[in-house]
Amino acid sequence: MPIDDLTFEEWRSFDLPTALRTAREAAALTGGHLVSVETVHHLGRPFHRALIERAGQAFALVPGGEVTLGLDLDAWQPAPGQEEDYRASVDQGFGHADDLRGHLAHMLSPYRRVTVPTVLMAVEDEEFGEEPEGAAEVLAARGLRLPTPDEWEHACGAGARTLFRWGDTCPLDRIPYHSPDGPQHRPNALGLHITYDTYRTELTSDPASVYGGDGGESACGGYGRLLGWLPLATSHRNPDYAAWLHDPAGDAFYEDTSTRPVLPL
């Protein structure tokens, strides 16, 4: 099977020898070398995590195909304490709706089926620190590109249909900044170090969609515990913060942006 025809569901079905052979093919196609294929438990069964190094940078293999993205708000049920915590934030003047489901409808990307390519994606995001409009050109000079919003969300959630990449719950006794041992610090199923710090904001190819953080706004603003965690939600695309970044008044926040390079196959 050509590597660019590999789908996420096919990858999930592979045994370890087949995963190793496929990962070696991906490394060869990109001029890199295979570092490891590790088997973890994800979505109820064994799942292979392939890491490839190219030009001194670590990438994860992200199988694509037709995938489901966004959160199905009709089927989603808040975890215990989340609605109460959100109501407390609303009482302080925060939030985009009177109820949590309405707030998520504003902040999360739509629930949808899309097709994404199989790619390699950088394990670590890179600090950018310049005007966001220049990111694509900087990456192109290295044979890389920005992820699309669909690619970013798929790579982050890795097939999980939950609010966060690790599940629907989050600690409600503290915000991420005060949670050094929280779930955000564990690598995701594909081996990416992603949605780990709300002070980080990752750019995509769509200026209206940035992910992974809000520049620390929720932490510094005292929004509340759940609202402090939500910038780390997989499909939390931060439309308001994205608009601020691309406004001349947002110049001072460029240092909080980062990129997660994609290496096409």
Side-chain angles (χ1 to χ4, degrees):
M1 172 197 307
I3 188 70
D4 54 358
D5 289 337
L6 174 66
T7 70
F8 185 78
E9 289 304 316
E10 288 168 335
W11 176 258
R12 290 184 67 200
S13 71
F14 285 173
D15 57 19
L16 183 57
T18 305
L20 280 165
R21 184 168 62 252
T22 304
R24 289 193 184 103
E25 179 184 349
L29 280 172
T30 57
H33 70 274
L34 181 62
V35 175
S36 65
V37 175
E38 177 187 8
T39 302
V40 297
H41 194 73
H42 180 56
L43 302 178
R45 60 182 174 181
F47 183 84
H48 307 300
R49 175 189 291 170
L51 299 182
I52 292 168
E53 185 177 298
R54 174 186 176 270
Q57 187 169 25
F59 292 86
L61 175 63
V62 183
E66 189 177 9
V67 297
T68 300
L69 300 178
L71 185 68
D72 184 356
L73 287 171
D74 292 332
W76 174 77
Q77 293 299 320
Q82 289 183 344
E83 289 183 305
E84 293 82 356
D85 192 274
Y86 179 75
R87 281 197 293 269
S89 294
V90 171
D91 290 342
Q92 296 298 315
F94 301 113
H96 288 276
D98 291 337
D99 66 291
L100 176 55
R101 204 176 298 270
H103 175 80
L104 293 179
H106 176 81
M107 297 302 295
L108 304 185
S109 65
Y111 184 62
R112 63 205 186 276
R113 288 288 286 178
V114 301
T115 299
V116 294
T118 294
V119 299
L120 299 185
M121 187 174 287
V123 170
E124 303 285 350
D125 59 317
E126 300 180 15
E127 291 186 3
F128 191 60
E130 300 177 32
E131 293 188 8
E133 288 75 10
E137 183 177 353
V138 170
L139 291 177
R142 296 159 51 195
L144 305 168
R145 62 171 174 81
L146 286 165
T148 68
D150 289 346
E151 289 171 338
W152 194 99
E153 285 189 36
H154 169 58
C156 179
R161 301 272 53 83
T162 49
L163 180 59
F164 302 98
R165 59 178 173 84
W166 59 80
D168 282 317
T169 63
C170 60
L172 290 179
D173 59 345
R174 57 195 183 279
I175 60 174
Y177 185 73
H178 298 132
S179 186
D181 58 348
Q184 76 275 23
H185 294 297
R186 297 194 295 263
N188 82 339
L190 293 166
L192 298 174
H193 186 214
I194 195 167
T195 62
Y196 62 92
D197 184 352
T198 59
Y199 280 82
R200 307 286 281 184
T201 307
E202 297 194 24
L203 305 173
T204 70
S205 61
D206 178 7
S209 298
V210 296
Y211 293 89
D214 62 1
E217 178 185 353
S218 57
C220 296
Y223 287 6
R225 294 181 178 90
L226 179 59
L227 289 186
W229 282 93
L230 283 180
L232 304 183
T234 301
S235 57
H236 194 275
R237 72 195 189 286
N238 274 314
D240 303 316
Y241 190 71
W244 174 251
L245 280 177
H246 292 276
D247 186 282
D251 288 359
F253 292 89
Y254 291 160
E255 63 184 29
D256 296 318
T257 63
S258 62
T259 64
R260 188 169 297 270
V262 165
L263 179 59
L265 291 172

